[in-house]
Each structure stands twice: as structure tokens, then as C-alpha cells.
Amino acid sequence: MTTTRLANWKWLAGLLAVIVPLTMFGAIVLMTPLPNIMMGGGSAACEVDTSDLSETAQEDIPPEMLELYKRHGEAIGVQWNVLAAVGKRETDHGRSELPGVQSGTNYAGAAGPMQFLISTWGGKARIPIPSEFNGYASDGDDDGVADVYNPADAILGAAKMLKRNGAPDDLRKALFVYNRANWYVDQVLEIAAKYAQSGSVDVPPEANPACEVAYDAPNAVVDKILDYALAQRGKPYVWGGTGPDGYDCSGIIYMAYRNAGLNIPRTTFGQWPFGVRIDAGEEQAGDLVFFNSGPGTSADNPGHVGMIVSPGKMVEARCTLCGPIKVTTYRDRGAIVGFTRPLQNPDVLEQLKRQALT
């Protein structure tokens, strides 16, 4: 090989030593997702089901916000398009540059993408979790802080507030509490309908009496108990009611067990000490979940009860203003006292034995 050719080969090798690493680095950069600023994380938002979105929703809602509306709406039991409509009406999904959206408060004292009053949020814009506060402050991205300006936190807080005040059934009531003006309620419901492919604001399937609810009954007895309880969905809460037209929280459970030929105490106060205590996370279909809720209740004297349908879901008759009997979530609800399994009570075991069901 001549000196000239050897020099050319050395030059080409040197050039390739520079180009190849640069090319590989460029490819890595192009394949690396950009940080998701709205989510506060370092990766792109998870893909979400868009089959129920209208063209308006797909064009108008930022993907990272849509993921939050969908995720927190499903977890709490509130229509995603209602959450999205609130976010649109309040701050154009956080895109507004008006005072109080990114920092501070507006003229009315509201802050963040969902425009919470600081007092309603919990007294401060940013609250460490866990801590003591009175409000809807929530940690939607599990970073240990409930930040009213963080979309993940604010949307979860909004879902809880709507659920507490009547959603998903009584949306007009829930939205009126959110912003006490009928014109506001009308506007939000109009936007929500435009966001849905169906053009309507539908009740989530689990709360609809006409829809099936998946559950895994451990035995035929529990299957019979749940079959009765779920058949009462859509009926009203009636204080002291044991059916057939309406029930209170313990009444529907009492009658569901009677449907399986079993006698348990009638009231929540009697049902709580009756069943065998179950650790959180070990509950199964047919078990009961109790809440420190209602007059005269305490940490060991719960005043509200629901029946477990599946992990995280219960069927309950909640209150006169809370809509009809339906399947709801319980892990997002505060003041859970504990879980019990009535079928393990010695008296119930004896009843089952007499029925030759054990």
C-alpha cells in the first residue's frame, strides 16, 4: 500500500470515528421520550382509551390531562368527561395565563388548574401528605405533596369533591356545590356532552342497575348474598329501610344475608362486632367495610357499612342525598374503621351447618 493510500485510509477511519458515535447519540436522543412537564415525571403519559372521545375532545384536551381525567375519574367513580369539562371551563385545561392558575390566586381566591379555593383545598396551596387538614387536598402523583397547582393533585381533588357532593348520579347538585351558579352547571354539562362520543353524560356502568358487575364469589353462599344486594341497585336510600322499595346501609346487608337463609344483626352498630375482623387487603366478596361516619359514631363505633363486591368496590346505600343504591369505590374514602367477615361468626357457621351448606 502506498504512503498516499495509507494516509487516505487513516483519514477515513478518523472521520468514521467521529461520525458513528454522533449518529448513535442522535438516534438515542430521538428515541428518548421528552419529560412530561404537566405530569411532573420523566416519561410520557400512559396511553389511554380514546374510543369514547368525540373529535372535539381529541382536538381540545391535552393528552397528559386526558390521562389524569380518565385515571382519577375511574378511581373515584366520576365521569371523566365531567372532570374534563370542569377543567375546560375553569382554566382551559391549565393553559390559561390568568392569575391563580400557575401561581397565586384569582380575584375570588381560587387557585390551580381546577380552581380550588385555598380554604376548600385544605388551608394551604401545598400540603405534605400525610398530615392533618380539612379539605380536598390530594396527592395524585404520589410525590408526598398535595399541590393545588399540580394537575395530577388538583384533578384527583376535584373528583373527590364531585363524588362527595352527588356525582356520578346527581351531577347538577355536585357541580352546583363546586361553583354555586346554575349557568355554570349548564355550561359544564354542555361541554361534558360535547366531549363524549355518545354526545351525552352517562352514569358509569358499575352504578347502572342494568349493567353486570364482575365479582368473584368464594362460594355459593356469597354468590347468593351478592346477587340479592346487586339487584337492589337503583333503589333509593330509606332510613331504617329493609326493602323491597328502599334500604338503609345496614338494611340492604341484613336482607342480602337473609336471602341466603342467614340471620345477622340488623344495624351497623350490631354488625360491626358480629363479624370476624379481616385485615385490610385481605377482604373478599361478601365481607363488610365499616366507616366512622354519621351521628354518634367513633373509631370503634362505626355508623356506615358497605358490602365488598370486589377489591376496591362495594355496594352501598349511602344517604338520602347521595343518590340511589349503587356500586362505589371505598379505598378513596376516608374514615374506614375496618373490615369483617360475617360468615366466620360462630353463630353463622352453625346456621350454615344446619342448612348442610358447610
Side-chain angles (χ1 to χ4, degrees):
M1 183 177 291
T2 66
T3 303
T4 301
R5 291 178 64 187
L6 180 61
N8 287 340
W9 276 109
K10 287 182 177 179
W11 176 85
L12 180 59
L15 181 62
L16 290 173
V18 173
I19 292 175
V20 171
L22 286 174
T23 303
M24 293 178 66
F25 176 75
I28 292 171
V29 170
L30 289 174
M31 290 188 296
T32 302
L34 293 173
N36 188 332
I37 297 173
M38 293 293 286
M39 290 290 290
S43 61
C46 299
E47 290 188 8
V48 297
D49 179 17
T50 59
S51 61
D52 54 350
L53 271 68
S54 67
E55 289 186 12
T56 299
Q58 295 184 52
E59 294 172 357
D60 189 45
I61 305 174
E64 62 273 12
M65 296 293 280
L66 176 63
E67 193 273 335
L68 292 171
Y69 295 136
K70 285 261 187 174
R71 173 154 55 90
H72 292 318
E74 180 180 0
I76 302 303
V78 175
Q79 296 92 330
W80 72 265
N81 52 329
V82 173
L83 279 173
V86 172
K88 174 66 175 179
R89 178 61 186 78
E90 295 291 353
T91 66
D92 192 22
H93 306 300
R95 293 176 292 211
S96 172
E97 297 182 358
L98 292 173
V101 179
Q102 308 299 333
S103 62
T105 61
N106 68 5
Y107 69 93
M114 302 303 277
Q115 291 291 277
F116 272 95
L117 295 175
I118 296 299
S119 58
T120 304
W121 183 249
K124 295 187 295 184
R126 295 177 177 86
I127 301 174
I129 299 296
S131 63
E132 294 291 329
F133 63 89
N134 184 21
Y136 293 98
S138 303
D139 182 11
D141 57 2
D142 297 321
D143 66 352
V145 178
D147 184 349
V148 75
Y149 303 106
N150 182 333
D153 298 350
I155 291 170
L156 178 56
K160 290 181 179 179
M161 183 174 178
L162 291 172
K163 181 66 175 288
R164 173 66 180 82
N165 292 298
D169 301 282
D170 194 346
L171 290 175
R172 293 201 66 87
K173 174 178 176 288
L175 290 168
F176 187 82
V177 174
Y178 202 96
N179 189 332
R180 296 179 180 276
N182 285 317
W183 58 262
Y184 175 87
V185 175
D186 292 337
Q187 287 184 7
V188 170
L189 290 177
E190 182 180 357
I191 295 169
K194 288 180 178 178
Y195 278 166
Q197 186 181 57
S198 64
S200 61
V201 184
D202 300 320
V203 175
E206 64 186 15
N208 189 334
C211 295
E212 294 296 325
V213 173
Y215 63 87
D216 185 16
N219 52 56
V221 177
V222 173
D223 186 65
K224 198 168 186 179
I225 291 168
L226 280 175
D227 186 61
Y228 181 93
L230 291 172
Q232 312 314 311
R233 286 178 299 157
K235 294 183 179 180
Y237 175 94
V238 175
W239 188 83
T242 54
D245 298 324
Y247 303 79
D248 65 11
C249 66
S250 57
I252 186 173
I253 291 168
Y254 171 71
M255 293 303 296
Y257 272 79
R258 281 194 60 178
N259 184 63
L262 302 172
N263 288 312
I264 66 171
R266 160 66 186 88
T267 68
T268 305
F269 301 116
Q271 291 171 1
W272 167 240
F274 183 79
V276 173
R277 303 291 172 86
I278 302 297
D279 291 335
E282 298 298 320
E283 67 273 15
Q284 63 185 25
D287 291 346
L288 307 183
V289 53
F290 293 84
F291 301 86
N292 179 10
S293 175
T297 66
S298 64
D300 197 45
N301 194 37
H304 182 60
V305 61
M307 182 187 297
I308 305 296
V309 174
S310 62
K313 303 288 186 181
M314 65 178 172
V315 59
E316 67 169 339
R318 188 169 181 181
C319 70
T320 305
L321 299 177
C322 298
I325 295 168
K326 55 183 175 288
V327 173
T328 61
T329 58
Y330 61 82
R331 288 175 178 163
D332 59 287
R333 295 260 283 272
I336 293 180
V337 174
F339 302 85
T340 72
R341 186 166 296 161
L343 289 177
Q344 291 299 310
N345 176 278
D347 184 50
V348 172
L349 290 174
E350 184 61 32
Q351 294 177 51
L352 290 170
K353 184 177 180 179
R354 288 198 299 269
Q355 296 179 28
L357 294 177
T358 57

